[in-house]
Amino acid sequence: MTGRAAVEAEDLEVHYHGGPQAAVAGVSLRLEPGQGLLIGGGPSAGKTSVLRALAGLVPAGGRIRLFGAPPGPPRPRDVGYGPEGRDFAGHLTLREAVHAVTALRRVRDVVAAREDALDRAGLSYVAAYRTRRLDAEGFRRLSLAVAIAGDPDLVLLDDPWVLPETLDEIRDARARGAAVIAASRAPGGLAPALGGRMVLVDGRPR
Amino acid sequence: MTAAARLTALQLRRLARRRWPWVALAAGAGVIALAVALALGESGGDRLEELRQGATTLLLLGGLAVALGLGAGSLNVDSDTGHFGMLVGAGAGRGSLVASALLARLVGLAVVLALWGATLQGGALVIGAGLDGELAVHTAVVATGLALTLAAAAAASSVVGRAAAIVFGAAVYLTAQALMNLKAAVDRDFIGTGDEAINAVHAIGPRIPTSPMLADLQERGAAGPAIPRVDINGNEVALPASGWPTIAWTLVWVVALGLVAYAGMRRRPLA
């Protein structure tokens, strides 16, 4: 790891479709390699918007730097983003979905990294299944596998479940020097594994 | 393999697992079987004419349905469901995503048309006409116009939902076809006023190429109910066969619409 912060965000602001109402405003955070952060808050508090802004999925105001560079590709370090929801890998098998993201990262052996991620997320035995066969827990595990495949230097987890595998991966990622941010409405047992915590109310830090 | 090629292969795989393109393919084969059956009821040269009429109708109406169906859901659905978000989150560029989505759908359209074309050639053999080269050329020429329609719907899908993208794609097709009709009328001195304006808009606007086979059928008023001759100022206008410049210009428009799709996706929020 270099001396650069994994994540630096100052006065982060997200407006969807140019609307006047900010989904997120005034959020600043800094994460060094190896640190963790839990972003909590109620429904529509802006948790997911913060993660999407960091992942380069939504246009954001303010200043965002991941390892010293803007959030969009090309990135100086690998970022792992585990989306929320159930439709992010439609018409694919679990193995194909994890392969697709692993191949986009700086991984020497994509197949080995893919199988490793599926195994660590507890999905090896259903890897050949199409995603439509998954239940809610299966999708959370797939999201975890997508985020950790190839051991990225920054892991962003949106709506992770408090599973033993999730806690293990957060701890292991931090132990190898990766920064981890998780957004969750019901933090449960995630907070101790992550260390830091931020709570959003109506898109602003409380 | 480059990231864009990998993403295109991924999009093609997902496309091939959807049910409706297969249903469209099978429905087209059914229409061809019907056209062959009707052609067998004719005798002599009328057999091939009957088959060609069925082919032009299928390739136009069926092809439009497939092109609009493929194009209208190419960017909006994956943006909203989180699929593009998953890929961008992993490091994919938005340009690569747009290119792969568009390319995969163009390949999908080409596959459907190629299979319909092959089935039509089989039909030509069944009715005893032998392989029909003119029909094969017609299939390829129609494919360029449908590619334009698909690209237009895809460009719209970067900013609007599926239904609106279908309307936009269909509107671009109809506008381009109307321009071709007006240009043909101008060239035959059927209009008289606004000729320069029509020529100018035709020069820069999108075009739908006409194959030699369709031009011949239209000239004889035998192109079938889906492609009638257009009445302009009391004159029936039959379209002339398009040359290579029109084909090339249509493909330029496909690329331009791809760039419009990228512009729409550049700052679109992804789930």
Side-chain angles (χ1 to χ4, degrees):
Chain A
M1 293 288 167
T2 67
R4 281 184 168 152
V7 179
E8 289 176 280
E10 291 172 18
D11 280 329
L12 185 61
E13 193 164 324
V14 175
H15 291 257
Y16 285 105
H17 306 293
Q21 182 78 26
V24 172
V27 172
S28 297
L29 56 94
R30 180 183 174 93
L31 235 68
E32 301 295 335
Q35 287 189 322
L37 176 68
L38 174 68
I39 302 177
S44 303
K47 309 178 296 294
T48 290
S49 294
V50 170
L51 283 196
R52 288 177 181 169
L54 294 178
L57 273 54
V58 297
R63 181 176 182 273
I64 303 175
R65 289 291 181 273
L66 306 183
F67 304 102
R75 296 169 173 148
R77 298 295 188 89
D78 279 343
V79 175
Y81 169 67
E84 67 169 356
R86 304 172 62 110
D87 298 322
F88 55 85
H91 306 290
L92 292 175
T93 66
L94 279 64
R95 180 170 281 121
E96 289 166 345
V98 178
H99 187 98
V101 296
T102 312
L104 289 164
R105 295 185 182 139
R106 295 176 187 81
V107 177
R108 195 169 296 164
D109 188 341
V110 172
V111 172
R114 175 194 74 198
E115 295 303 317
D116 180 52
L118 286 164
D119 183 47
R120 284 154 54 191
L123 293 171
S124 288
Y125 73 107
V126 289
Y129 285 15
R130 297 269 187 92
T131 55
R132 68 178 177 217
R133 297 181 65 180
L134 293 178
D135 60 6
E137 181 183 327
F139 277 105
R140 293 302 86 219
R141 288 179 181 274
L142 177 59
S143 178
L144 177 67
V146 162
I148 63 172
D151 293 329
D153 302 300
L154 170 63
V155 178
L156 305 171
L157 300 172
D158 197 357
D159 192 26
W161 278 18
V162 187
L163 303 165
E165 289 85 351
T166 311
L167 298 174
D168 288 347
E169 288 304 325
I170 291 171
R171 288 194 192 99
D172 291 350
R174 292 183 60 194
R176 65 177 160 76
V180 182
I181 302 179
S184 178
R185 190 182 348 168
L190 289 171
L194 286 159
R197 184 169 184 182
M198 168 190 282
V199 177
L200 297 179
V201 178
D202 293 332
R204 288 171 168 76
R206 189 171 66 186
Chain B
M1 196 186 261
T2 64
R6 275 198 303 270
L7 290 170
T8 303
L10 183 75
Q11 296 300 332
L12 264 175
R13 184 177 297 154
R14 296 177 70 230
L15 200 56
R17 289 178 181 162
R18 302 187 69 176
R19 193 169 298 161
W20 76 262
W22 295 101
V23 172
L25 200 56
V31 170
I32 293 168
L34 183 64
V36 170
L38 290 172
L40 285 171
E42 303 288 339
S43 59
D46 289 347
R47 276 190 172 183
L48 186 57
E49 191 101 328
E50 185 74 30
L51 180 67
R52 285 179 171 184
Q53 282 182 1
T56 53
T57 304
L58 167 70
L59 291 171
L60 175 66
L61 300 182
L64 270 178
V66 172
L68 290 170
L70 287 171
S74 49
L75 299 172
N76 42 17
V77 176
D78 283 342
S79 294
D80 294 340
T81 58
H83 182 66
F84 282 168
M86 176 182 81
L87 297 172
V88 169
R94 292 186 183 226
S96 299
L97 284 183
V98 172
S100 62
L102 198 52
L103 194 56
R105 280 156 180 82
L106 286 170
V107 169
L109 175 67
V111 168
V112 169
L113 293 175
L115 291 174
W116 281 352
T119 311
L120 283 166
Q121 293 298 325
L125 288 173
V126 168
I127 64 170
L131 291 175
D132 189 347
E134 287 185 44
L135 183 54
V137 171
H138 174 73
T139 306
V141 171
V142 167
T144 57
L146 294 177
L148 175 87
T149 309
L150 187 155
S157 81
S158 66
V159 288
V160 297
R162 198 192 296 257
I166 286 175
V167 170
F168 181 78
V172 167
Y173 179 89
L174 291 172
T175 302
Q177 186 63 68
L179 274 176
M180 299 300 287
N181 294 339
L182 283 171
K183 172 67 175 162
V186 165
D187 289 345
R188 296 184 184 198
D189 292 328
F190 287 165
I191 295 185
T193 55
D195 287 4
E196 287 177 9
I198 291 169
N199 281 329
V201 176
H202 175 265
I204 59 170
R207 302 175 192 173
I208 301 295
T210 306
S211 72
M213 185 193 93
L214 183 61
D216 175 57
L217 287 172
Q218 273 221 331
E219 189 65 39
R220 293 185 285 109
I227 312 165
R229 289 195 287 197
V230 180
D231 186 299
I232 295 179
N233 290 343
N235 300 294
E236 283 200 334
V237 179
L239 291 165
S242 302
W244 284 107
T246 291
I247 303 272
W249 187 245
T250 304
L251 296 177
V252 167
W253 262 90
V254 171
V255 174
L257 287 165
L259 294 174
V260 171
Y262 173 66
M265 282 293 290
R266 231 162 53 89
R267 290 181 62 79
R268 177 180 176 130
L270 302 175

